[in-house]
Amino acid sequence: MATLNAQRVRSLKEPGKYGDQHGLMLRVTPTGSKQWIWRGTIRGRRRDLGLGGYPYVTLKEARTKAFEYRRIARQGGNPTAGRSTVPTFREATEKVIQLHAPKWKPGGLSERHWRSTLETYAFPHLGDMAVNQITGADVMACLAPIWNRKEETARRVLQRVSAVMRWAVAQGFREDNPADRRIKAALGSNSAKAQHFKALHHSQVAQALTTIRATSAWKATVLCFEFLTLCAVRSGEARLATWDEIDLATATWTIPATRTKTSKPHRVPLSTTALAVLEQAREQTGGVGLIFPAPRGKPISNATMSKLCKENNIGCVPHGMRSSFRDWCGETGVSRELAEAALAHTVKGVEGAYARSDLLERRRKLMEQWGHYLQT
C-alpha cells in the first residue's frame, strides 16, 4: 500500500528513507536533496537502483518505473538490462578512483577522502544522474551551500567532481566539463586559505617530549613520536618503519620510495639520540618486523599518534614537529638547501634540476645538533 503522496514528498525534510509501493523509496539527505530508489531482488541478489532525483522525477513517474522494475524482476529478468549504457556520476566516480588508486600510497587516506567528500557533498545531487545529463547548475547546487562556509572542502569537492567529468569527456560520454573554471567565476572568490598543521615553537619541543615520555601510553607509541621528532620525518614514515630499513653500522635509516611523499628513497642519518630510541624499541620487538608496532602487532594508526598529542595537551600534531625543526633550522643559520634536504622536500625549477646530492654527511651533523638541542 502506498505511503507517500505528492504533498508529503514535497514537504519531507527529515533525513532518511521513506518507503512506498513496488519497492520504491524516497531518500532524503542531510542537505535536503531527494532521490528515488528502487529496492528489489534481481536473480537472487538484493539491489538498489537509482531512479532519479525529485522534483525532476515525480512520484507518479517513480512509481511507474518501480512497478516495471518489480514486474521484470519477478519474471526472472534484469531491470538494468534496458538502462542506458551512460554511467551515473556515482559509477563514473568508481572508475576514476580505480584509475587513481595505483598512484596513491598504500594505506594512505587519498581514497577515503575522495569517497567521503563526494558521498557527502556531490552524490546527494549528482550520484544517480547520468554523466551526460549533469550541468553547471547541478555542480553549483553541490557547492553553493559550502562555498563560503567550508572553503577548502568546497575546493576539493570541485576538484574531484571536475576529475570525474574530465573522465566522462575522455570516454566520449559528453563534450564538455561542467565543473571547469567557469564554476569558480560564477560562485565568486571564496578566499580559501591554506590550513597549516599545528606546531610548537622549537623551544617548546624538548618539554613536549618530556611530557610524552611521562605518559602511560603504549611504549611503542611514545617511542615512535620521539623518533619522528628526532628524525623530522612524516608520521607514516615512522609508524610503518621496519628493522630491515635500519643500517646500524652506518647509523642510517633508508625510507623506501613507496612510503615517501616524493616517491623517492630518503636516507635519514640517525643521531645519537635517535639510536638510543631504537635501542629501547629493540627491547620491545627483538629487532624484527615493525620498529614501533601497536599492541596487536599491527602498525600504529595516524589517529593514535594524534590522540597522544591531544590527550596530553601538547598543542600540536605529530606532523607539526617537522615545522618546528624547519623553524629551528631557519633561526640557527642552517642553509635552505640543507634544511630542505633533511625534510625530503622536492626542490623545483632550475635549482632542483642541478641538486642531485642528498647531502647525507652534512645532514648527519645537522641531525646530531638537533638531537642535542632537544636534550638540553
Side-chain angles (χ1 to χ4, degrees):
M1 183 175 179
T3 60
L4 296 176
N5 56 52
Q7 182 178 354
R8 188 177 181 215
V9 169
R10 186 167 53 251
S11 61
L12 277 172
K13 291 182 173 35
E14 184 69 23
K17 292 180 179 179
Y18 301 86
D20 195 64
Q21 56 188 357
H22 310 307
L24 178 65
M25 291 189 300
L26 178 68
R27 180 175 63 191
V28 181
T29 72
T31 62
S33 67
K34 303 170 184 178
Q35 294 85 40
W36 296 109
I37 299 170
W38 176 79
R39 173 171 290 177
T41 301
I42 302 176
R43 296 174 181 174
R45 181 183 174 190
R46 189 67 169 266
R47 296 286 300 275
D48 283 2
L49 302 179
L51 302 180
Y54 175 85
Y56 309 105
V57 176
T58 66
L59 172 61
K60 182 178 179 181
E61 292 169 335
R63 279 178 177 166
T64 300
K65 287 185 180 181
F67 176 82
E68 184 63 15
Y69 281 14
R70 173 66 63 85
R71 184 186 65 79
I72 294 173
R74 288 172 67 88
Q75 293 176 353
N78 184 358
T80 65
R83 286 160 65 97
S84 171
T85 57
V86 177
T88 64
F89 181 83
R90 192 188 307 270
E91 293 166 341
T93 296
E94 288 299 320
K95 298 290 186 182
V96 174
I97 288 176
Q98 290 172 21
L99 288 173
H100 285 326
K103 299 180 290 185
W104 291 333
K105 295 289 186 298
L109 299 175
S110 296
E111 181 175 343
R112 186 186 304 176
H113 288 165
W114 257 74
R115 291 188 185 281
S116 64
T117 53
L118 293 182
E119 286 176 0
T120 302
Y121 302 106
F123 286 0
H125 298 275
L126 310 176
D128 296 324
M129 294 181 67
V131 291
N132 64 341
Q133 298 297 314
I134 295 173
T135 67
D138 296 319
V139 177
M140 287 180 65
C142 301
L143 298 171
I146 60 172
W147 189 250
N148 294 304
R149 185 167 55 88
K150 299 181 178 180
E151 296 92 343
E152 183 62 20
T153 299
R155 185 185 68 80
R156 292 183 183 276
V157 172
L158 176 58
Q159 184 181 60
R160 289 160 186 167
V161 170
S162 182
V164 174
M165 300 316 297
R166 288 198 302 272
W167 175 88
V169 172
Q171 293 293 315
F173 294 124
R174 60 181 303 131
E175 296 182 357
D176 68 319
N177 176 6
D180 60 15
R181 58 176 176 266
R182 290 172 295 182
I183 296 296
K184 285 186 177 181
L187 290 172
S189 173
N190 67 352
S191 63
K193 299 178 178 63
Q195 300 295 313
H196 298 294
F197 291 102
K198 291 182 179 179
L200 299 175
H201 186 270
H202 57 77
S203 63
Q204 299 173 297
V205 175
Q207 181 56 51
L209 291 179
T210 299
T211 301
I212 292 296
R213 293 190 199 103
T215 68
S216 58
W218 177 248
K219 183 67 173 177
T221 305
V222 173
L223 292 174
C224 184
F225 182 82
E226 185 170 3
F227 189 69
L228 71 83
T229 301
L230 290 165
C231 297
V233 297
R234 296 176 175 86
S235 174
E237 294 168 343
R239 290 185 291 103
L240 301 177
T242 57
W243 284 106
D244 58 7
E245 298 169 1
I246 305 294
D247 185 345
L248 292 175
T250 62
T252 305
W253 169 31
T254 302
I255 307 173
T258 54
R259 281 217 321 282
T260 65
K261 190 173 183 179
T262 60
S263 297
K264 297 178 182 178
H266 177 51
R267 294 192 297 173
V268 181
L270 298 171
S271 64
T272 303
T273 46
L275 289 170
V277 171
L278 289 179
E279 187 59 35
Q280 294 181 65
R282 181 184 291 276
E283 296 174 3
Q284 304 290 317
T285 65
V288 178
L290 289 167
I291 298 175
F292 308 108
R296 296 186 179 182
K298 295 183 179 181
I300 296 169
S301 70
N302 189 51
T304 297
M305 298 296 288
S306 298
K307 182 180 178 182
L308 181 68
C309 293
K310 186 175 181 179
E311 289 187 341
N312 291 282
N313 298 315
I314 298 302
C316 72
V317 295
H319 194 89
M321 290 303 183
R322 284 168 57 83
S323 178
S324 300
F325 169 78
R326 185 63 179 86
D327 289 344
W328 172 79
C329 288
E331 292 184 17
T332 55
V334 176
S335 68
R336 176 180 177 276
E337 62 173 348
L338 193 58
E340 294 299 286
L343 292 168
H345 282 165
T346 300
V347 180
K348 299 180 180 181
V350 175
E351 182 182 3
Y354 286 95
R356 304 296 177 88
S357 171
D358 67 356
L359 308 176
L360 180 66
E361 293 310 314
R362 289 177 61 190
R363 288 192 289 117
R364 191 175 299 280
K365 181 179 179 181
L366 172 66
M367 301 315 290
E368 195 67 44
Q369 293 171 337
W370 173 241
H372 178 73
Y373 175 69
L374 297 185
Q375 282 186 313
T376 56

